[in-house]
Amino acid sequence: MATEIKSVTKAVIPAAGLGTRFLPATKATPKEMLPVVDRPAIQYVVEEAIRAGLNDVLMITGRNKRALEDHFDRVPVLEQQLAEQGKDALLASVVATNEMGGDLHYVRQGDPKGLGHAVLRAKRHVGDEAFAVLLGDDLIDEKEDLLSRMVEVQQRTGGSVVALMEVPREAISAYGAAAIETVAGEDFVKVTGLVEKPEPEQAPSNYAVIGRYVLSPKVFEVLENTAPGRGGEIQLTDALQTLAVGEGDGEGVYGV
Ligand code: G1P
């Protein structure tokens, strides 16, 4: 366990993917900007991070993603018009998206070489602190309070924490799969191994890693030495496998 554990205040949101699964909707629009009810999907993710006290949000973007920055920026002319028209509720909804009450930063991935590679782009900004990673493809019910629980487990263990969800065996090949062990008296599990998108018959369990992570900064060092894996991409799951079997400072992986 780490000797000094700093509180978690930074969230990283990888958003550089090409969104090919959603074509043609994502031909000219980033998939993160596709609306879910009344707001773009990315807004739910930023709201979730800020609700968990992670006010420093770094988005990893790329080409054709400028709409993301625009969405969280001020539009004075629109605000003024809504104010003049007395459209107070709409004005409030627009103002609420201005930086979301947090501090938003952007860095580009350039060459999308996988989730692990995207997370590595956050190294300079994050520094030597634990941080969260939120993937925009998974939307979490706000009643769950998942991220806060994960932060708390990270602080207690000093390691890295993944969110797990049981899925039908045949669905596991769409996710990272975790081998787990219970920890006596705790409400989290120890992750003893991870495999990225295994065939159902090779999966260590039907516990899928969903898109929320609270990571020890040790992950950066490991990612720098992680060779491309599944799909020729640098996989975060592979770096977490290395951390799961390690016993040093900042190592160990836990599941909520
Ligand atoms: C990524 C991760 C995978 C994880 C999934 C959760 O895969 O690589 O381990 O289970 O997110 O959404 P992707 O869906 O980006 O291919």
Side-chain angles (χ1 to χ4, degrees):
M1 276 189 205
T3 37
E4 189 217 346
I5 298 178
K6 294 182 198 144
S7 63
V8 183
T9 59
K10 291 178 182 163
V12 173
I13 305 180
L18 299 176
T20 45
R21 275 180 293 194
F22 295 102
L23 280 169
T26 49
K27 193 176 166 199
T29 303
K31 73 171 170 186
E32 295 79 8
M33 290 304 293
L34 297 179
V36 179
V37 192
D38 63 348
R39 61 198 84 170
I42 189 74
Q43 191 177 327
Y44 291 93
V45 181
V46 177
E47 282 170 3
E48 180 190 343
I50 290 181
R51 226 179 12 250
L54 311 174
N55 295 321
D56 180 330
V57 177
L58 175 70
M59 260 185 238
I60 318 290
T61 70
R63 262 177 301 281
N64 297 329
K65 299 285 184 168
R66 236 176 273 159
L68 292 173
E69 292 184 48
D70 288 342
H71 181 69
F72 296 108
D73 196 6
R74 291 199 56 188
V75 189
V77 72
L78 175 63
E79 289 174 26
Q80 194 188 334
Q81 189 183 318
L82 293 171
E84 279 165 13
Q85 294 170 341
K87 293 182 175 164
D88 297 339
L90 282 179
L91 175 60
S93 77
V94 165
V95 170
T97 61
N98 297 341
E99 293 271 311
M100 303 292 298
D103 197 3
L104 304 193
H105 306 267
Y106 302 87
V107 63
R108 285 196 176 212
Q109 191 180 358
D111 203 3
K113 288 195 277 198
L115 178 58
H117 179 254
V119 170
L120 198 45
R121 295 288 294 131
K123 180 182 173 185
R124 189 188 295 267
H125 183 83
V126 168
D128 191 29
E129 292 170 29
F131 64 104
V133 174
L134 293 84
L135 306 187
D137 288 353
D138 302 291
L139 296 183
I140 308 286
D141 187 338
E142 76 178 70
K143 291 192 286 293
E144 291 287 337
D145 213 12
L146 174 66
L147 204 52
S148 303
R149 278 177 60 211
M150 294 174 71
V151 165
E152 191 235 317
V153 173
Q154 196 288 323
Q155 302 275 280
R156 246 151 70 200
T157 59
S160 295
V161 184
V162 295
L164 298 174
M165 178 176 81
E166 251 189 302
V167 299
R169 215 357 98 174
E170 60 278 12
I172 196 73
S173 53
Y175 299 93
I180 59 169
E181 271 172 14
T182 54
V183 182
E186 293 291 2
D187 60 352
F188 58 83
V189 294
K190 172 108 176 87
V191 173
T192 56
L194 286 150
V195 190
E196 179 67 4
K197 305 201 173 99
E199 294 306 322
E201 53 282 4
Q202 267 128 38
S205 76
N206 58 341
Y207 281 96
V209 174
I210 55 166
R212 297 295 178 275
Y213 308 78
V214 181
L215 302 174
S216 140
K218 186 92 184 168
V219 75
F220 293 126
E221 195 184 308
V222 175
L223 280 170
E224 278 166 346
N225 296 297
T226 297
R230 183 133 197 133
E233 297 187 337
I234 298 181
Q235 297 291 350
L236 180 58
T237 303
D238 294 346
L240 287 170
Q241 159 64 21
T242 304
L243 288 175
V245 297
E247 284 171 5
D249 224 26
E251 298 181 338
V253 177
Y254 304 87
V256 167

